[in-house]
Amino acid sequence: MLYVSTRGQATSISFKEAVLTGLATDGGLYLPETYPKFSAEEIRNLNGLSYIDLSLKIMRKFIGPELSDTNLREIVQGSYSNFGTDDYCPTDQVDKNHYLLELYHGPTLAFKDFAMQFIVN
């Protein structure tokens, strides 16, 4: 999996390089060169997974073989270990058809914890 700059002037780089580099040399943000696809069967197999296992299945598609399954699991588990709950992003039903997604769990009590804890680890 290669990552390209949103400004299109930087060289394509690997996942690890994108994480360690931060901003692209042209000042852009890194995005996947192509977005992975999930088959209907893969999507069905996501049903019922824990948040950690779901995260692993989805992230694996974006990371590729650069991190072993063991290392990736350690990073993901470590990223969410200080959220203070096993229900990392619960939903509260507001009324019949509306739900509120709680993204304030985590060490800083802000939505950014969901992505940034992984990047930091």
Side-chain angles (χ1 to χ4, degrees):
M1 166 78 54
L2 290 176
Y3 285 75
V4 296
S5 171
T6 53
R7 294 189 179 170
Q9 302 301 309
T11 304
S12 299
I13 60 176
S14 70
F15 171 80
K16 280 185 185 178
E17 291 171 311
V19 170
L20 295 173
T21 301
L23 289 176
T25 55
D26 63 2
L29 302 174
Y30 282 111
L31 297 173
E33 189 172 50
T34 59
Y35 284 89
K37 304 246 188 296
F38 287 85
S39 69
E41 181 179 353
E42 286 175 310
I43 292 171
R44 279 191 300 275
N45 290 337
L46 297 176
N47 187 38
L49 292 179
S50 69
Y51 189 81
I52 298 291
D53 288 334
L54 180 64
S55 297
L56 291 168
K57 294 279 186 185
I58 293 170
M59 287 183 197
R60 172 56 63 212
K61 292 270 196 171
F62 287 87
I63 295 170
E66 291 188 65
L67 292 173
S68 70
D69 287 341
T70 301
N71 286 344
L72 181 56
R73 179 171 287 281
E74 288 172 359
I75 292 169
V76 170
Q77 286 177 324
S79 297
Y80 298 111
S81 66
N82 55 358
F83 269 56
T85 179
D86 289 337
D87 193 2
Y88 303 103
C89 51
T91 56
D92 289 324
Q93 190 167 2
V94 177
D95 60 34
K96 182 180 176 187
N97 295 313
H98 294 93
Y99 293 81
L100 182 65
L101 180 61
E102 294 181 7
L103 294 178
Y104 57 81
H105 298 281
T108 70
L109 304 176
F111 71 93
K112 64 181 174 50
D113 288 334
F114 284 89
M116 299 313 294
Q117 289 300 303
F118 176 77
I119 299 296
V120 168
N121 287 325

